Amino acid sequence: MPDIGSPEFIFWFRQAAPYIHAFRNRTFVVAFGGDLVRDGDFGSLAHDLNTLVSLGVNLVLVHGARPQINARLQEAGLPCRFERGVRITERESISQVLQSIGQVRFEIEAGLSMGLANSPMANADIRVAGGNFVTAQPMGVREGEDMQYSGEVRKLDVAAMRDRLEFGETILLSPVGYSPTGEVFNLTLEDVATTAAVALQADKLIFLLDQPGVVDEDGQLHNELTAAEAEKFVREEVRVSDDIDFFLPCCIKAVRHGVARAHLISRHLDGGLLTELFTHEGIGTMISREPLETMRRAQIDDIGGILALIEPLEEQGVLVKRSRELLEREIERFAVLEHDRKIIGCVGLHTFEEGEIAELAGLAVHPDYRDGGRGEALMKYVEREARRLKIKQLFVLTTRTAHWFVERGFKPAEIDVLPMKKKTLYNWQRRSKVFIKSV
């Protein structure tokens, strides 16, 4: 985190502001293994969770306890057996499993109850809700192995969970569930978390793991994947890590069933959760059902986002100044490019009485997104719209970006080619160059 008062801090805080607004009253399911608690890292995570709660985020936490269970079973001289990564919970070991899970849960609740002055938890008011929200059923026999007291989620008491969240409480789910006959089953962290996220139609499902995210065979971290792209990793059986093998299919399932976003984040980076959620780049892998970037017609609610894009360029003399009032009157002429609900680009198409010629205007792309062909995508959108309107030529007036337009088929032209209204309003002091292109 940059120093308070520094330009870096101000930039970071402004960058985070849209997310702060967007996340209020949203529901996040955050899942983490028992190794995070064992290694003494939950205190740092608790600080970040407290920040989310203070910003109005509804939290459902799901914890695991695998290392604690392993240690307790070894001390008791009981075997640790797994079938495809899932523990075979035997009758002799179920009591040890439940004690281990209970121990981890108590440590988490203690961490969320901290309130020391002069610490990130000062004045924290995290009320933890728990209970028999999870109904489970036995896994049965898998690959010839009787899973015994290992189970899977049958259903969740969603109404009760929503009541707790609406009351301002943070729900803590342990990897255990109860059957209608009163039996207790050991569940997997990923099953509980994914089922909860889907049942609640959460805005985010977040897994904290040992890996930085989805890294391909060339060592490249994929910051963003669609469900289809993520499925390609699974389908081609690209061996990445045990964590990714377990959790990536859960992320795909979640976004395919209504969860807005799923995230895979390293548990080892202090503040990693906040960095992933409140910066454009993030630090892990985000999975969405559809591509994060969409092109659409601008609406009146987009005025603020468009102004944020074009005002810096107006100050530099790249674009002609437009008042908010003028932009409101012309909003139907604009299109915007969104990235994860943030406006990162805009462009306008202005038509004239002459009918066969129109102006491409106000093309702007956020500085953080200028290296991905987005300006050209906006231009092509305008060209398609112009052809739909039977427009034969597009012109642009520019003082700084002549080469960019020339490289994309625009040719220098004289002022006389402009429509009469535009020619009358031509700013001779600005002396913009005219370029034209047939569409």
Side-chain angles (χ1 to χ4, degrees):
M1 179 73 68
D3 293 335
I4 294 177
S6 68
E8 292 81 6
F9 173 80
I10 295 170
F11 172 79
W12 176 86
F13 202 77
R14 287 173 176 167
Q15 186 184 52
Y19 300 102
I20 294 173
H21 174 74
F23 291 163
R24 183 168 297 278
N25 296 322
R26 303 291 186 176
T27 298
F28 295 179
V29 176
V30 181
F32 50 91
D35 41 9
L36 187 144
V37 177
R38 177 201 61 192
D39 296 344
D41 296 330
F42 183 74
S44 296
L45 177 61
H47 297 162
D48 295 348
L49 297 174
N50 179 53
T51 299
L52 294 178
V53 170
S54 69
L55 295 175
V57 175
N58 299 318
L59 283 182
V60 177
L61 308 180
V62 184
H63 74 87
R66 176 166 292 191
Q68 290 85 353
I69 294 172
N70 288 345
R72 190 176 289 268
L73 291 180
Q74 289 171 5
E75 290 176 4
L78 296 172
C80 295
R81 295 199 301 128
F82 296 86
E83 171 58 38
R84 294 197 173 189
V86 177
R87 185 185 303 280
I88 300 172
T89 309
E90 300 171 342
R91 179 182 297 274
E92 295 77 16
S93 62
I94 185 64
S95 63
Q96 306 291 334
V97 169
L98 295 178
Q99 290 179 49
S100 301
I101 292 173
Q103 171 196 339
V104 175
R105 183 183 181 92
F106 293 146
E107 291 185 41
I108 292 171
E109 290 184 350
L112 294 173
S113 300
M114 292 187 297
L116 293 175
N118 301 320
S119 80
M121 296 295 288
N123 300 315
D125 186 24
I126 301 178
R127 297 189 298 269
V128 179
N132 56 340
F133 296 121
V134 182
T135 299
Q137 62 189 14
M139 283 187 176
V141 178
R142 301 289 177 91
E143 301 293 331
E145 286 282 357
D146 185 354
M147 303 302 289
Q148 301 186 49
Y149 284 88
S150 291
E152 56 191 7
V153 178
R154 180 178 176 184
K155 65 177 181 179
L156 294 173
D157 190 343
V158 176
M161 293 175 69
R162 291 193 188 280
D163 284 345
R164 296 298 89 205
L165 293 174
E166 291 175 6
F167 196 64
E169 296 182 349
T170 293
I171 294 175
L172 178 59
L173 297 178
S174 297
V176 293
Y178 310 95
S179 74
T181 59
E183 293 179 293
V184 183
F185 290 98
N186 179 27
L187 310 178
T188 64
L189 158 72
E190 57 270 23
D191 183 25
V192 176
T194 305
T195 305
V198 171
L200 292 167
Q201 290 292 278
D203 296 275
K204 291 186 181 293
L205 168 61
I206 303 167
F207 287 108
L208 301 175
L209 53 153
D210 285 328
Q211 311 305 317
V214 178
V215 179
D216 61 26
E217 293 175 319
D218 297 324
Q220 179 68 37
L221 173 67
H222 292 260
N223 292 109
E224 297 172 0
L225 291 172
T226 63
E229 291 168 338
E231 284 169 344
K232 186 177 180 181
F233 273 90
V234 176
R235 186 168 58 249
E236 296 180 354
E237 297 183 348
V238 177
R239 183 65 184 175
V240 182
S241 70
D242 288 340
D243 277 356
I244 300 301
D245 289 345
F246 279 127
F247 299 133
L248 185 56
C250 296
C251 294
I252 296 169
K253 177 181 177 181
V255 299
R256 288 291 192 199
H257 289 81
V259 176
R261 302 284 186 269
H263 299 255
L264 298 171
I265 310 172
S266 172
R267 70 178 180 90
H268 299 291
L269 180 63
D270 187 21
L273 178 61
L274 299 184
T275 305
E276 173 72 7
L277 295 177
F278 292 101
T279 63
H280 298 326
E281 302 83 6
I283 51 92
T285 298
M286 177 166 65
I287 297 95
S288 60
R289 181 175 180 179
E290 304 295 341
L292 293 179
E293 291 190 2
T294 56
M295 192 89 67
R296 60 171 176 80
R297 289 182 178 275
Q299 303 170 356
I300 196 68
D301 291 342
D302 300 322
I303 295 290
I306 294 174
L307 286 173
L309 284 177
I310 65 177
E311 284 177 344
L313 298 176
E314 291 173 351
E315 293 172 2
Q316 298 168 25
V318 177
L319 295 179
V320 177
K321 286 186 176 294
R322 288 178 176 80
S323 66
R324 175 180 284 269
E325 292 76 14
L326 176 61
L327 192 57
E328 289 176 354
R329 291 198 301 271
E330 297 182 343
I331 192 63
E332 74 281 354
R333 300 179 177 180
F334 276 80
V336 293
L337 179 62
E338 277 190 319
H339 181 96
D340 196 20
R341 297 177 295 200
K342 173 185 172 62
I343 294 176
I344 63 168
C346 65
V347 68
L349 175 64
H350 295 184
T351 57
F352 299 88
E353 291 182 357
E354 284 83 340
E356 294 188 348
I357 189 169
E359 180 184 13
L360 185 157
L363 193 154
V365 178
H366 191 283
D368 292 345
Y369 297 89
R370 286 179 183 166
D371 294 329
R374 295 172 176 89
E376 190 162 1
L378 287 161
M379 184 191 73
K380 289 185 180 300
Y381 177 91
V382 167
E383 290 178 354
R384 290 193 299 271
E385 185 68 10
R387 286 192 290 269
R388 186 184 69 82
L389 296 173
K390 310 299 184 185
I391 291 167
K392 295 182 178 179
Q393 291 182 308
L394 281 176
F395 72 86
V396 63
L397 300 178
T398 181
T399 58
R400 303 278 189 89
T401 56
H403 284 188
W404 191 89
F405 286 102
V406 169
E407 291 168 2
R408 286 154 181 82
F410 283 80
K411 297 180 180 180
E414 300 298 327
I415 296 172
D416 289 341
V417 306
L418 299 178
M420 183 58 65
K421 182 177 180 180
K422 194 68 180 181
K423 192 186 306 182
T424 303
L425 296 174
Y426 181 80
N427 187 332
W428 289 95
Q429 184 175 0
R430 179 177 169 82
R431 299 190 64 182
S432 300
K433 294 183 177 181
V434 182
F435 294 87
I436 197 165
K437 179 181 182 179
S438 297
V439 294

